[in-house]
Amino acid sequence: MLVVHGDITTQHADAIVNATDPSLLGGAVHRRGDPAVLAECRALRASAYRNGLPFGRAVATTGGELRARWVIHTAGPVWSAGEDRSALLASCYRESLRIAGELGAGSVAFPAISTGAGGWPPGDAAAIAVRALRAAPTGVEEVRFVTFTPEVRTAFTEVVTSDENIAAGLAAHPAQRWRRLFAAVDALTPADRAVTWETPEHQLPYPRYTEGFWQVVRLLAELDVVVPFDWGTWSRDTPLHPEGRGLAGAPVADAARLATAYIRGERFCEGTLESGLGNGALDAIFDRLRRWFTEEHGGGR
Amino acid sequence: MKPIERDLRVPMRDGTVLLADRWAPPNGDGRPVVLVRTPYGRRTGRQLVDPLVRGGFQAVVQSTRGTFGSGGDFDPLRRERDDGLDTVEWVAGQPWFGESMVLYGMSYLGFTQWAVADSLPPQVKALVPGVTESALTLEFLRRDGFSLETPFSWGVMVGVQERPFFLLRMLLGGRRLQRALRTLPLNRADTAALGHRSDYLQDILVHDTDSPFWRPADHRHRVAGCGVPVSTVGGWYDIFLPGQLRDFRALPDARLTVGPWTHSSPDAMAAMATEALEFALPLARGETPAERAPVRLYVMGEENWRDFPSWPPPGYADRRFHLHAGGRLSTDPPDESAPDGYRYDPADPTPAVGGVRMAFGVTSGPVDNTDLEARADVLTYTTPPLDDDVEVVGDVRAEIHFRSSLPHADVFVRLCDVGPDGRSTNVCDGLTGVADADRETAVEVRLWPTAYLFRRGHRLRVQVSSGAFPRYDRNPGTGEPRATATTLRTADQRVFHDPGHPSAIILPVREVAE
């Protein structure tokens, strides 16, 4: 789950969601204008949705000449001060995701539904969106929010990178996969922890990590311990960086953030992971994840 | 010579403004206009424009949408229809416009002509598209044979062309680009080459020829409706040749020139300038161009230009040259024999050597094939020295009875000329991807068309292999989508040549009058 800024109609995803209105003729996709999508929407209005697409429901059409194979149209409710319509907004996400799953889409790009003309407060809309998508069982592997204004981007980024959502991302993986990680950690030998440096001629030196260690790093990425967020700023400001001191008492999301800072950091500065092995940060991360697994994930039982 | 007016603002129907320069001598107003629409920068077009303006045109060179100061986003190939029509209309309405214009340019610049070919206003008198076709690049994205190198390196080139020291970057970055082509999965190759993701490079991996995504880039259906005369110039080693000849055959009124050229050959550009001045300019002036045969081809081997009435020319009949055991090639049908075999390893893929290629720093065109033919994953079949000349002009295809140990494989076939000194030089080639390759199949391979005279004493040679990397993407053997494939499996290939499975190359050979 991640937040990107830009134009949803140009996203590379199997399906994109068009936040429309009951007429099925509104939204970013139609503003861009694709003849095939428009024709299918008109046909839907003439047949199944003679009275319009109800709020909270969704329907799929071809992607026409867009990058996406499918466009999923959903009618987002207008925000009301006097009436709680959050169930309808949650339903937009749930229904769109369900249809994407049925189509076999592996990746879906969502706009911030109802935050534009719908007038929904961005923070509230983001919380509803993330909660609805997290609660829905799905075969879709990647969900992306595509935001158009800075305020909405900030709101969605805040919710997506919150402690709760990061922990929810970890909890979405089955216990079996977590056990594989801990087994791989336990199997690390002193040789795996001692990093050697190659010093080829005419080339900068580089560290050589063992296959066993890379296995652990790969599993961390697969388990969504590596999370997209602004790890540069975070690691500058947090007392947890660099050694992971205090991680035992911090939310499990901080273990993921610290792991991200090390694993991503290796790409920019070779040897970052080696220092994480040496200063205890990686072990603090493993310990925190293990405790979360037994006490909170419930996988230990 | 310098532009007489720079950065003319040309408004499009959606409000976007594209920029154009006008080139004309003093008192050049009213001359026929040659209109060029280019994504590569309108100032680099000097060599292109100079001979045309000296010859009698005034020139308008426009930067296409999203390039070099023109408004909007660069969405390669997909936006040229409306922009082209709006530009033609704008030119016709300018005070310096006289009575006529022609459209001109190579490659992408030629493609922009096809995008409007069926809706031209009467002021447009001729088109001169060179080394191009009406469905530009879509042949590269065939589901059964993905040309990796050319569209990828093109995407990288247009991705950096507006940065400082662009040419230097491309020249120095050649090795980085070649390394990037080996990236697995391929959807990370853009980052390896450019340092960031590229929309276009993702698009070519995800959307193949038939995807509706490319519909706005496919103008094949407009060619037959082209209402003005066309002169089209191509090269035997050009990346767009098959589509260009298909377009020529669909055109109601056209002439064709094909030389021994690769895509970026300066000689092809010179031939186009000649056509602009000897064909398009008279038409623009309401005159009749000097008589010339409709088809003028350079016959390689003979090293001579010859005139023909049509393409493919009459007087050539298909002759099958059969593959035989022991690496022999002959017009006789094959005898009972065991198949030949080789092992194809996508981790060490059969390389592309010369031929139809276009990328910075790679050699294209005819080259020595000795090293390639020495590889264990390349089979060769060769005739004895020829008793008489064999002249081949037209479409070339092969039928290879083939089986792989894996369900997914490619068959690459190349025709070569072996000189008396034993040196083997490539003439033309092609590749077909095979599904259900683990069952024996007659694989049809379309090679590039050619015009070639095999001299007496020379020998014909056919190569059969399973790849030409990175011109074509390597076949991983798994059937995984090309964007995300990561597993490479080694395949054992079999090529049959017996009476029940007569593998052959089929050449259009000149019929000798009895």
PDB file of all heavy atoms in Angstrom, chain A residues 10 12 32 36 64-68, chain B residues 78 199 202-203 207 212-213 215-216:
ATOM      1  N   THR A  10      -2.788   8.107 -15.917  1.00  0.00           N
ATOM      2  CA  THR A  10      -1.555   7.658 -16.569  1.00  0.00           C
ATOM      3  C   THR A  10      -0.811   6.626 -15.721  1.00  0.00           C
ATOM      4  O   THR A  10       0.338   6.302 -16.003  1.00  0.00           O
ATOM      5  CB  THR A  10      -0.608   8.846 -16.845  1.00  0.00           C
ATOM      6  OG1 THR A  10      -0.244   9.427 -15.594  1.00  0.00           O
ATOM      7  CG2 THR A  10      -1.285   9.898 -17.704  1.00  0.00           C
ATOM      8  N   HIS A  12       0.547   3.149 -14.162  1.00  0.00           N
ATOM      9  CA  HIS A  12       0.785   1.772 -14.603  1.00  0.00           C
ATOM     10  C   HIS A  12       0.176   0.843 -13.553  1.00  0.00           C
ATOM     11  O   HIS A  12       0.775   0.615 -12.506  1.00  0.00           O
ATOM     12  CB  HIS A  12       2.282   1.489 -14.710  1.00  0.00           C
ATOM     13  CG  HIS A  12       2.979   2.319 -15.734  1.00  0.00           C
ATOM     14  ND1 HIS A  12       3.204   1.886 -17.019  1.00  0.00           N
ATOM     15  CD2 HIS A  12       3.484   3.566 -15.673  1.00  0.00           C
ATOM     16  CE1 HIS A  12       3.838   2.821 -17.700  1.00  0.00           C
ATOM     17  NE2 HIS A  12       4.018   3.858 -16.914  1.00  0.00           N
ATOM     18  N   ARG A  32     -10.209  13.061 -19.159  1.00  0.00           N
ATOM     19  CA  ARG A  32      -9.111  12.817 -20.086  1.00  0.00           C
ATOM     20  C   ARG A  32      -9.674  12.396 -21.447  1.00  0.00           C
ATOM     21  O   ARG A  32      -9.140  12.749 -22.486  1.00  0.00           O
ATOM     22  CB  ARG A  32      -8.211  11.711 -19.541  1.00  0.00           C
ATOM     23  CG  ARG A  32      -6.950  11.529 -20.342  1.00  0.00           C
ATOM     24  CD  ARG A  32      -6.102  10.451 -19.701  1.00  0.00           C
ATOM     25  NE  ARG A  32      -4.838  10.316 -20.413  1.00  0.00           N
ATOM     26  CZ  ARG A  32      -4.707   9.663 -21.554  1.00  0.00           C
ATOM     27  NH1 ARG A  32      -5.753   9.099 -22.118  1.00  0.00           N
ATOM     28  NH2 ARG A  32      -3.520   9.587 -22.139  1.00  0.00           N
ATOM     29  N   ALA A  36     -13.526   4.415 -25.934  1.00  0.00           N
ATOM     30  CA  ALA A  36     -14.040   3.085 -25.614  1.00  0.00           C
ATOM     31  C   ALA A  36     -14.652   3.054 -24.214  1.00  0.00           C
ATOM     32  O   ALA A  36     -15.704   2.447 -23.985  1.00  0.00           O
ATOM     33  CB  ALA A  36     -12.929   2.046 -25.730  1.00  0.00           C
ATOM     34  N   GLY A  64      -9.689   0.722 -22.414  1.00  0.00           N
ATOM     35  CA  GLY A  64      -9.560   1.448 -23.676  1.00  0.00           C
ATOM     36  C   GLY A  64      -8.103   1.692 -24.039  1.00  0.00           C
ATOM     37  O   GLY A  64      -7.292   0.767 -24.002  1.00  0.00           O
ATOM     38  N   GLU A  65      -7.794   2.911 -24.353  1.00  0.00           N
ATOM     39  CA  GLU A  65      -6.427   3.261 -24.737  1.00  0.00           C
ATOM     40  C   GLU A  65      -5.584   3.710 -23.550  1.00  0.00           C
ATOM     41  O   GLU A  65      -4.470   4.220 -23.718  1.00  0.00           O
ATOM     42  CB  GLU A  65      -6.474   4.357 -25.816  1.00  0.00           C
ATOM     43  CG  GLU A  65      -7.074   3.836 -27.122  1.00  0.00           C
ATOM     44  CD  GLU A  65      -7.435   4.930 -28.108  1.00  0.00           C
ATOM     45  OE1 GLU A  65      -7.147   6.107 -27.831  1.00  0.00           O
ATOM     46  OE2 GLU A  65      -8.005   4.600 -29.163  1.00  0.00           O
ATOM     47  N   LEU A  66      -6.094   3.530 -22.347  1.00  0.00           N
ATOM     48  CA  LEU A  66      -5.310   3.860 -21.153  1.00  0.00           C
ATOM     49  C   LEU A  66      -4.281   2.769 -20.893  1.00  0.00           C
ATOM     50  O   LEU A  66      -4.336   1.691 -21.467  1.00  0.00           O
ATOM     51  CB  LEU A  66      -6.234   3.986 -19.940  1.00  0.00           C
ATOM     52  CG  LEU A  66      -7.282   5.090 -20.014  1.00  0.00           C
ATOM     53  CD1 LEU A  66      -8.332   4.865 -18.929  1.00  0.00           C
ATOM     54  CD2 LEU A  66      -6.623   6.440 -19.831  1.00  0.00           C
ATOM     55  N   ARG A  67      -3.370   3.047 -19.970  1.00  0.00           N
ATOM     56  CA  ARG A  67      -2.385   2.022 -19.614  1.00  0.00           C
ATOM     57  C   ARG A  67      -3.050   0.857 -18.903  1.00  0.00           C
ATOM     58  O   ARG A  67      -2.644  -0.287 -19.036  1.00  0.00           O
ATOM     59  CB  ARG A  67      -1.331   2.616 -18.684  1.00  0.00           C
ATOM     60  CG  ARG A  67      -0.490   3.643 -19.356  1.00  0.00           C
ATOM     61  CD  ARG A  67       0.881   3.740 -18.713  1.00  0.00           C
ATOM     62  NE  ARG A  67       1.730   4.457 -19.631  1.00  0.00           N
ATOM     63  CZ  ARG A  67       1.921   5.764 -19.593  1.00  0.00           C
ATOM     64  NH1 ARG A  67       1.370   6.492 -18.670  1.00  0.00           N
ATOM     65  NH2 ARG A  67       2.690   6.339 -20.488  1.00  0.00           N
ATOM     66  N   ALA A  68      -4.040   1.157 -18.067  1.00  0.00           N
ATOM     67  CA  ALA A  68      -4.693   0.114 -17.283  1.00  0.00           C
ATOM     68  C   ALA A  68      -5.568  -0.751 -18.182  1.00  0.00           C
ATOM     69  O   ALA A  68      -6.127  -0.275 -19.162  1.00  0.00           O
ATOM     70  CB  ALA A  68      -5.539   0.755 -16.197  1.00  0.00           C
TER      71      ALA A  68
ATOM     72  N   ARG B  78       1.459   8.464 -29.666  1.00  0.00           N
ATOM     73  CA  ARG B  78       0.002   8.349 -29.509  1.00  0.00           C
ATOM     74  C   ARG B  78      -0.751   9.653 -29.742  1.00  0.00           C
ATOM     75  O   ARG B  78      -1.971   9.665 -29.722  1.00  0.00           O
ATOM     76  CB  ARG B  78      -0.325   7.813 -28.116  1.00  0.00           C
ATOM     77  CG  ARG B  78       0.362   6.476 -27.824  1.00  0.00           C
ATOM     78  CD  ARG B  78      -0.356   5.664 -26.786  1.00  0.00           C
ATOM     79  NE  ARG B  78      -0.672   6.421 -25.587  1.00  0.00           N
ATOM     80  CZ  ARG B  78      -1.725   6.157 -24.821  1.00  0.00           C
ATOM     81  NH1 ARG B  78      -2.535   5.189 -25.123  1.00  0.00           N
ATOM     82  NH2 ARG B  78      -1.934   6.881 -23.752  1.00  0.00           N
ATOM     83  N   ASP B 199       7.825   5.959 -18.253  1.00  0.00           N
ATOM     84  CA  ASP B 199       6.498   5.503 -18.683  1.00  0.00           C
ATOM     85  C   ASP B 199       6.595   4.713 -19.977  1.00  0.00           C
ATOM     86  O   ASP B 199       6.032   3.636 -20.110  1.00  0.00           O
ATOM     87  CB  ASP B 199       5.573   6.710 -18.902  1.00  0.00           C
ATOM     88  CG  ASP B 199       5.010   7.241 -17.595  1.00  0.00           C
ATOM     89  OD1 ASP B 199       5.067   6.496 -16.593  1.00  0.00           O
ATOM     90  OD2 ASP B 199       4.532   8.386 -17.573  1.00  0.00           O
ATOM     91  N   GLN B 202       8.062   1.241 -19.602  1.00  0.00           N
ATOM     92  CA  GLN B 202       7.111   0.316 -18.985  1.00  0.00           C
ATOM     93  C   GLN B 202       6.024  -0.070 -19.989  1.00  0.00           C
ATOM     94  O   GLN B 202       5.613  -1.226 -20.065  1.00  0.00           O
ATOM     95  CB  GLN B 202       6.481   0.953 -17.735  1.00  0.00           C
ATOM     96  CG  GLN B 202       7.473   1.235 -16.616  1.00  0.00           C
ATOM     97  CD  GLN B 202       8.029  -0.035 -15.990  1.00  0.00           C
ATOM     98  OE1 GLN B 202       7.337  -1.054 -15.888  1.00  0.00           O
ATOM     99  NE2 GLN B 202       9.281   0.004 -15.580  1.00  0.00           N
ATOM    100  N   ASP B 203       5.588   0.908 -20.765  1.00  0.00           N
ATOM    101  CA  ASP B 203       4.505   0.643 -21.729  1.00  0.00           C
ATOM    102  C   ASP B 203       4.906  -0.415 -22.754  1.00  0.00           C
ATOM    103  O   ASP B 203       4.103  -1.274 -23.107  1.00  0.00           O
ATOM    104  CB  ASP B 203       4.124   1.935 -22.470  1.00  0.00           C
ATOM    105  CG  ASP B 203       3.408   2.927 -21.572  1.00  0.00           C
ATOM    106  OD1 ASP B 203       2.848   2.492 -20.548  1.00  0.00           O
ATOM    107  OD2 ASP B 203       3.427   4.134 -21.890  1.00  0.00           O
ATOM    108  N   HIS B 207       2.424  -3.556 -22.896  1.00  0.00           N
ATOM    109  CA  HIS B 207       1.437  -3.551 -23.972  1.00  0.00           C
ATOM    110  C   HIS B 207       2.072  -4.066 -25.261  1.00  0.00           C
ATOM    111  O   HIS B 207       3.007  -3.464 -25.767  1.00  0.00           O
ATOM    112  CB  HIS B 207       0.913  -2.138 -24.200  1.00  0.00           C
ATOM    113  CG  HIS B 207       0.249  -1.553 -22.985  1.00  0.00           C
ATOM    114  ND1 HIS B 207      -1.001  -1.932 -22.572  1.00  0.00           N
ATOM    115  CD2 HIS B 207       0.675  -0.643 -22.084  1.00  0.00           C
ATOM    116  CE1 HIS B 207      -1.319  -1.277 -21.479  1.00  0.00           C
ATOM    117  NE2 HIS B 207      -0.322  -0.492 -21.149  1.00  0.00           N
ATOM    118  N   PRO B 212      -5.019  -2.328 -27.028  1.00  0.00           N
ATOM    119  CA  PRO B 212      -5.728  -1.090 -27.392  1.00  0.00           C
ATOM    120  C   PRO B 212      -4.928   0.157 -27.022  1.00  0.00           C
ATOM    121  O   PRO B 212      -5.156   1.226 -27.581  1.00  0.00           O
ATOM    122  CB  PRO B 212      -7.030  -1.165 -26.579  1.00  0.00           C
ATOM    123  CG  PRO B 212      -7.027  -2.429 -25.841  1.00  0.00           C
ATOM    124  CD  PRO B 212      -5.785  -3.195 -26.133  1.00  0.00           C
ATOM    125  N   PHE B 213      -3.985  -0.006 -26.098  1.00  0.00           N
ATOM    126  CA  PHE B 213      -3.155   1.140 -25.698  1.00  0.00           C
ATOM    127  C   PHE B 213      -2.459   1.769 -26.905  1.00  0.00           C
ATOM    128  O   PHE B 213      -2.278   2.977 -26.971  1.00  0.00           O
ATOM    129  CB  PHE B 213      -2.109   0.661 -24.683  1.00  0.00           C
ATOM    130  CG  PHE B 213      -1.209   1.766 -24.189  1.00  0.00           C
ATOM    131  CD1 PHE B 213      -1.651   2.658 -23.228  1.00  0.00           C
ATOM    132  CD2 PHE B 213       0.076   1.915 -24.692  1.00  0.00           C
ATOM    133  CE1 PHE B 213      -0.835   3.681 -22.778  1.00  0.00           C
ATOM    134  CE2 PHE B 213       0.897   2.936 -24.252  1.00  0.00           C
ATOM    135  CZ  PHE B 213       0.449   3.823 -23.282  1.00  0.00           C
ATOM    136  N   ARG B 215      -3.531   1.702 -30.029  1.00  0.00           N
ATOM    137  CA  ARG B 215      -4.421   2.021 -31.147  1.00  0.00           C
ATOM    138  C   ARG B 215      -4.166   3.430 -31.695  1.00  0.00           C
ATOM    139  O   ARG B 215      -4.122   3.621 -32.909  1.00  0.00           O
ATOM    140  CB  ARG B 215      -5.877   1.837 -30.724  1.00  0.00           C
ATOM    141  CG  ARG B 215      -6.726   1.262 -31.840  1.00  0.00           C
ATOM    142  CD  ARG B 215      -8.161   1.064 -31.403  1.00  0.00           C
ATOM    143  NE  ARG B 215      -8.341  -0.064 -30.512  1.00  0.00           N
ATOM    144  CZ  ARG B 215      -9.197  -0.069 -29.474  1.00  0.00           C
ATOM    145  NH1 ARG B 215      -9.927   0.984 -29.195  1.00  0.00           N
ATOM    146  NH2 ARG B 215      -9.313  -1.139 -28.721  1.00  0.00           N
ATOM    147  N   PRO B 216      -3.969   4.436 -30.820  1.00  0.00           N
ATOM    148  CA  PRO B 216      -3.716   5.783 -31.368  1.00  0.00           C
ATOM    149  C   PRO B 216      -2.373   5.893 -32.095  1.00  0.00           C
ATOM    150  O   PRO B 216      -2.093   6.929 -32.710  1.00  0.00           O
ATOM    151  CB  PRO B 216      -3.715   6.684 -30.133  1.00  0.00           C
ATOM    152  CG  PRO B 216      -4.243   5.870 -29.021  1.00  0.00           C
ATOM    153  CD  PRO B 216      -4.038   4.430 -29.355  1.00  0.00           C
TER     154      PRO B 216
END
